[in-house]
Amino acid sequence: MKPMIIAKRIWDRAVAVQNKIGAAATYGAAPLYSYPGILTMWTASQAALYSGDDEWLAEVKSYLAKYPFEFEEPGTKFHYNFENYRVGGLGKGWMIMNGHFEDHKDVLREYAEKTINGPHSYDGIACGINDPKKVRIWIDVVYAITPFMLYAGLVFDEPKYIDYAVDQCFKMYDVFMDKSNGLLHQARGFLADPEKISEDHWSRGNGWGIIGLIEIVRYLPKEHPKYEEACQRLREHCNAIIKYQTVRGLWKQSMAEPLAWEESSGTALMLYAMGIGIRLGILEKETFMEPFKKGIEGLYQFCIENDYSVTRGCHGCLCPTYGDQKGTIEAYLVGVTHVKNDSHAFGPVILAMVEAERNGITNIIK
């Protein structure tokens, strides 16, 4: 099966599940206009534009066009932790950067300003709107903030947006990187000790981090003073990641735990970053192409059902469970389950399939 055919069918399944059309919503499914749906729209924007499928592109644009105008007022429809989701998040920013939604440029700038002037932790990292102590940060925010601000910076040729995007990603890596194994933790400020960091090496958390990093590597002008540092951080993270790939080509929910279950969304996000790194020559093809191919095959064989439902996706997860177990490795392993058609799971697999085809993989076999 061609990777782009897989990507399109996963998009169709995502729309059906997240809009509850032709399929009952499963545990972990959220409406398409929720923040995981915005992730799906960003990934489908890339896939549709790359594939040249004008009908698919028009469909994705019809959803993104609703932002922010149908969801402009705070409290309308959905709660968002970050203002940039109200304009359509990464999907809207990426599409404007690629010549679409020219008439939305003013609101892109408006929400970039809201982001850069929004709440930040005591150490300068973007945090949620309901954190009076300004200590709570989590790696997911790299996905939410860094690419959006980078795209806006490139659209407007605005250095403060670009530098902010890079700064947010690097600060998060510095806080959450476990130097003993090169993997990222998820969260700080959610435990009794507000300075304590969660014990996990969460698969999707490493995916969220590397998404911001790979978009910097992909789009940051090479003359930027932080470009080489971004490339080096990518190499270091990817060299750590490949040590934990399973025999089926996947990565586990808590990546360094031998008995953890395999998780699809983090696997797919990391494969997307790896694929771009290989294409750009930042990652050595001799080292990374085989793990990349193995991962793409593993996703298709073990995480995508015949109706293009996506399985083995971790449902919403932020320093999970309670009491003494909260934020422990045990919490990430048994306090959080994997589910079918979780709303976070569709978009990452679409991204991975785009990179599979861009790296010359033309047929994936079950």
Side-chain angles (χ1 to χ4, degrees):
M1 180 75 70
K2 285 183 173 294
M4 293 309 300
I5 293 176
I6 297 170
K8 177 58 166 62
R9 291 179 181 176
I10 289 173
W11 161 257
D12 291 339
R13 174 55 55 191
V15 170
V17 170
Q18 294 187 258
N19 284 339
K20 302 180 183 179
I21 300 170
T26 57
Y27 180 76
L32 193 61
Y33 293 112
S34 63
Y35 89 85
I38 292 172
L39 166 68
T40 310
M41 285 184 260
W42 170 57
T43 68
S45 298
Q46 294 198 48
L49 199 59
Y50 173 70
S51 69
D53 186 332
D54 291 340
E55 185 176 339
W56 186 7
L57 184 62
E59 181 185 8
V60 178
K61 288 179 69 175
S62 73
Y63 287 108
L64 284 171
K66 297 178 184 294
Y67 295 90
F69 311 108
E70 291 191 15
F71 310 103
E72 196 164 20
E73 295 301 319
T76 303
K77 286 281 184 183
F78 299 108
H79 166 75
Y80 296 127
N81 280 320
F82 300 98
E83 286 293 333
N84 71 74
Y85 287 140
R86 296 187 185 283
V87 76
L90 281 66
K92 183 65 73 63
W94 191 87
M95 289 292 276
I96 292 174
M97 186 178 70
N98 282 276
H100 300 268
F101 294 115
E102 288 286 324
D103 56 336
H104 289 211
K105 280 187 175 181
D106 287 346
V107 290
L108 177 64
R109 188 186 289 276
E110 175 188 349
Y111 281 85
E113 286 293 325
K114 286 182 177 181
T115 299
I116 206 168
N117 292 305
H120 288 75
S121 67
Y122 66 84
D123 45 356
I125 297 172
C127 61
I129 58 178
N130 298 314
D131 180 17
K133 294 182 179 180
K134 299 295 185 289
V135 67
R136 289 186 169 185
I137 59 172
W138 61 109
I139 195 65
D140 315 41
V141 181
V142 175
Y143 146 74
I145 297 294
T146 287
F148 177 82
M149 293 303 295
L150 179 61
Y151 304 154
L154 294 170
V155 167
F156 298 115
D157 192 22
E158 178 53 79
K160 75 173 181 179
Y161 295 165
I162 294 172
D163 292 344
Y164 176 82
V166 175
D167 184 61
Q168 288 295 300
C169 182
F170 286 8
K171 280 182 175 178
M172 283 279 207
Y173 263 74
D174 290 342
V175 170
F176 289 126
M177 179 59 67
D178 184 340
K179 293 181 180 178
S180 71
N181 60 18
L183 303 178
L184 295 168
H185 296 294
Q186 185 192 17
R188 182 193 74 192
F190 294 84
L191 302 169
D193 177 355
E195 293 295 329
K196 188 174 181 181
I197 292 172
S198 56
E199 296 176 1
D200 67 295
H201 301 101
W202 183 37
S203 172
R204 191 159 70 233
N206 278 265
W208 289 143
I210 209 167
I211 279 292
L213 190 56
I214 195 60
E215 294 302 282
I216 292 170
V217 168
R218 186 180 185 183
Y219 292 115
L220 191 67
K222 289 183 173 58
E223 62 271 17
H224 191 280
K226 296 296 180 70
Y227 174 76
E228 289 300 333
E229 181 180 350
C231 292
Q232 184 58 29
R233 286 178 183 262
L234 178 70
R235 293 186 195 100
E236 291 172 359
H237 197 182
C238 286
N239 276 309
I241 284 169
I242 61 171
K243 295 176 184 177
Y244 296 96
Q245 189 176 32
T246 71
V247 295
R248 302 204 301 180
L250 309 174
W251 281 272
K252 296 178 179 179
Q253 162 74 351
S254 193
M255 293 166 61
E257 294 303 307
L259 298 182
W261 44 273
E262 293 167 322
E263 201 277 326
S264 59
S265 66
T267 291
L269 291 171
M270 289 183 282
L271 288 170
Y272 168 73
M274 199 177 295
I276 293 174
I278 293 168
R279 280 199 298 111
L280 296 181
I282 309 300
L283 301 178
E284 294 178 354
K285 194 170 185 178
E286 296 79 8
T287 301
F288 288 95
M289 183 54 82
E290 283 307 311
F292 177 72
K293 289 179 177 178
K294 185 177 180 181
I296 294 295
E297 291 168 358
L299 271 181
Y300 188 48
Q301 291 172 3
F302 304 114
C303 303
I304 300 173
E305 296 188 345
N306 290 337
D307 67 351
Y308 295 90
S309 290
V310 181
T311 63
R312 308 200 68 81
C314 174
H315 67 71
C317 177
L318 177 53
C319 200
T321 77
Y322 311 95
D324 292 342
Q325 192 187 61
K326 186 174 178 63
T328 62
I329 291 173
E330 181 183 5
Y332 284 85
L333 297 188
V334 299
V336 183
T337 58
H338 62 83
V339 296
K340 175 180 174 178
N341 287 339
D342 181 86
S343 296
H344 301 83
F346 299 111
V349 178
I350 291 172
L351 288 179
M353 292 301 153
V354 172
E355 277 308 309
E357 190 144 317
R358 291 179 72 113
N359 274 278
I361 299 174
T362 58
N363 187 35
I364 309 173
I365 300 172
K366 275 282 190 183

